Amino acid sequence: MSRLQTPLFSIYEQHNGKTIDFGGWDLPVQFTSIKEEHEVVRTKAGLFDVSHMGEIEVKGQEALPFLQKMLTNDVSKLKDMACQYNAMCYENGGTVDDLVLYKREDNHYLLVVNASNIEKDYEWLKQHATEKVEVINVSNQYAQIAVQGPLAESITQKLTKEDLSTITFFKFREGVVVANKDVLISRTGYTGEDGFEIYCRPDDAISLWNALLDAGKEEGIQPCGLGARDTLRFEARLPLYGQELSRDISPIEAGIGFAVKVDKKEDFLGKVVLKQQKEDGPERKLVGIEMIDKGIPRTDYEVFKDGEKIGFVTTGTQSPTLKKNVGLAIIDKKFQAVDTVVEVQVRKRRLKAKVVKTPFYKR
């Protein structure tokens, strides 16, 4: 089966993009090198094609009560033109997806969901929708470009009359003209850095991408791939669905309890289990680990204590910022204290590691 391509696919080659299969999409893993792209986002600015992300519109008279039932955060607290991080759960507390909710106005919302979950999320929402709620998969109507890094604002500002400094964290604006294109722009991202995510018409994506690269030439902006996006989000301890979150891993276990409001008066899917986990503490939880012995903790490697299996690694790498071999792991609550020494099964050997504080990086 042929892989899906974003509207920006044709320009990857111009920048020596090396593509991989990512959830059925043909996407660039890197353009120069993961380390170089990681560094440029931490110090200057990087440009990412994130058009594979899904967009689902929810609108209608009962949109708010519907989203209060479907999502873990308190949607009633969300103001117009603001975003909210959310999880969508099964009754058993497992995660359907994590997402960002955009409130356009009363009864009109946009959900930005993970690429590998678009169909599943859409079906899940449709399945629970009432007559007075419309759920529409509008993913094909958008391309999405992320400009991330400390210089993201100054570079993007060159292309618009809108005062970008007035769009604060997790706020957005629609109908903004950037490089002569009509866009939705939000101060959001998945790197742990300042920056924007820009939603445009698919036909405008290449022109907008080139304009941003030109505008940031002097500052040293570079195209960045999925590899750097992963190491950047990992250092900032932002979860990736399928690794830190899954059907079997709840938002509380994954450490995103701040997005689970068990005190909101409405019942939501998974509330009973999540409330219990929040009050009693989950049996297992996501922690940071740093290798003591030489080795890298990779996804799905098993974690042991005194010969007993106590969990597994969700993500691990050599942190480009810290220059240390670190990982995130879901382990038994008895062993979560910082400096607890554990062992990671790296191929045929069990290597020592210790529990450390996270995030690994904070700007």
Side-chain angles (χ1 to χ4, degrees):
M1 202 174 103
S2 63
R3 302 202 295 233
L4 297 163
Q5 295 175 352
T6 80
L8 286 162
F9 179 81
S10 64
I11 63 166
Y12 299 160
E13 214 174 307
Q14 294 168 29
H15 304 291
N16 302 312
K18 180 185 168 197
T19 62
I20 56 160
D21 181 349
F22 182 79
W25 289 83
D26 210 351
L27 292 168
V29 67
Q30 65 184 65
F31 292 93
T32 51
S33 78
I34 291 172
K35 281 183 178 171
E36 187 180 325
E37 291 164 26
H38 181 107
E39 178 70 10
V40 90
V41 174
R42 288 276 181 255
T43 57
K44 298 172 186 173
L47 202 57
F48 298 82
D49 176 15
V50 279
S51 305
H52 57 297
M53 298 293 282
E55 291 84 16
I56 298 171
E57 202 168 33
V58 172
K59 57 186 182 180
Q61 211 176 318
E62 292 178 359
L64 176 59
F66 170 65
L67 289 172
Q68 284 287 62
K69 177 192 171 182
M70 300 305 295
L71 304 177
T72 59
N73 213 328
D74 189 349
V75 182
S76 70
K77 296 277 196 287
L78 192 56
K79 293 183 166 58
D80 291 2
M81 312 306 274
C83 314
Q84 186 185 62
Y85 182 57
N86 252 296
M88 189 155 59
C89 288
Y90 298 103
E91 277 292 16
N92 68 359
T95 312
V96 179
D97 204 1
D98 67 324
L99 57 99
V100 177
L101 178 68
Y102 286 63
K103 184 183 179 186
R104 289 177 146 148
E105 57 186 354
D106 284 350
N107 304 321
H108 194 181
Y109 299 85
L110 188 70
L111 284 69
V112 179
V113 304
N114 285 299
S116 55
N117 291 335
I118 298 171
E119 287 306 320
K120 177 184 77 172
D121 291 359
Y122 174 66
E123 291 304 327
W124 182 252
L125 289 161
K126 286 284 282 185
Q127 193 184 317
H128 292 90
T130 56
E131 269 180 28
K132 292 176 180 172
V133 176
E134 226 181 321
V135 178
I136 313 156
N137 181 359
V138 292
S139 303
N140 292 338
Q141 295 175 26
Y142 293 96
Q144 193 196 141
I145 295 170
V147 197
Q148 300 282 299
L151 304 182
E153 185 186 297
S154 57
I155 291 167
T156 312
Q157 189 63 70
K158 296 179 191 180
L159 301 173
T160 182
K161 289 178 178 161
E162 194 82 21
D163 182 355
L164 297 179
S165 68
T166 62
I167 304 175
T168 52
F169 186 58
F170 259 59
K171 299 288 189 296
F172 73 97
R173 229 163 265 170
E174 287 196 84
V176 174
V177 176
V178 176
N180 301 315
K181 305 298 178 192
D182 191 345
V183 306
L184 181 159
I185 182 167
S186 61
R187 199 172 208 119
T188 49
Y190 191 52
T191 60
E193 293 298 333
D194 187 23
F196 298 95
E197 289 177 313
I198 303 172
Y199 299 78
C200 65
R201 286 181 32 241
D203 292 352
D204 292 338
I206 288 177
S207 163
L208 192 55
W209 174 274
N210 288 333
L212 285 159
L213 274 186
D214 286 346
K217 198 173 278 178
E218 277 179 32
E219 288 86 348
I221 196 171
Q222 282 181 220
C224 299
L226 290 174
R229 193 165 183 252
D230 192 46
T231 54
L232 289 157
R233 71 91 200 161
F234 161 73
E235 286 185 347
R237 199 184 187 268
L238 300 171
L240 173 63
Y241 190 87
Q243 288 177 218
E244 283 73 40
L245 289 162
S246 72
R247 170 184 278 276
D248 303 314
I249 303 171
S250 82
I252 307 297
E253 292 173 326
I256 57 162
F258 64 88
V260 180
K261 299 293 192 280
V262 294
D263 294 336
K264 69 176 179 181
K265 61 179 187 293
E266 296 86 354
D267 284 333
F268 59 87
L269 294 171
K271 184 176 183 177
V272 173
V273 176
L274 296 173
K275 190 174 169 66
Q276 189 180 357
Q277 284 186 357
K278 222 171 183 185
E279 287 167 0
D280 303 343
E283 290 300 309
R284 55 181 197 166
K285 198 158 186 193
L286 192 72
V287 299
I289 56 170
E290 182 184 312
M291 297 304 292
I292 296 169
D293 292 339
K294 201 176 173 185
I296 295 176
R298 301 285 187 195
T299 303
D300 293 333
Y301 282 7
E302 295 179 332
V303 181
F304 292 84
K305 178 74 178 174
D306 300 330
E308 179 197 347
K309 185 188 167 189
I310 59 163
F312 57 94
V313 175
T314 58
T315 304
T317 190
Q318 183 179 62
S319 158
T321 306
L322 300 180
K323 312 282 189 285
K324 290 176 178 176
N325 295 340
V326 287
L328 292 169
I330 291 219
I331 64 169
D332 188 303
K333 67 177 181 184
K334 295 198 290 284
F335 308 106
Q336 289 167 15
V338 168
D339 290 330
T340 302
V341 175
V342 296
E343 290 180 320
V344 180
Q345 183 83 41
V346 180
R347 292 182 283 280
K348 291 179 180 173
R349 298 167 62 217
R350 286 192 189 167
L351 304 179
K352 281 196 177 74
K354 62 178 179 179
V355 175
V356 292
K357 284 181 180 170
T358 56
F360 301 109
Y361 169 85
K362 208 170 186 177
R363 67 183 173 94

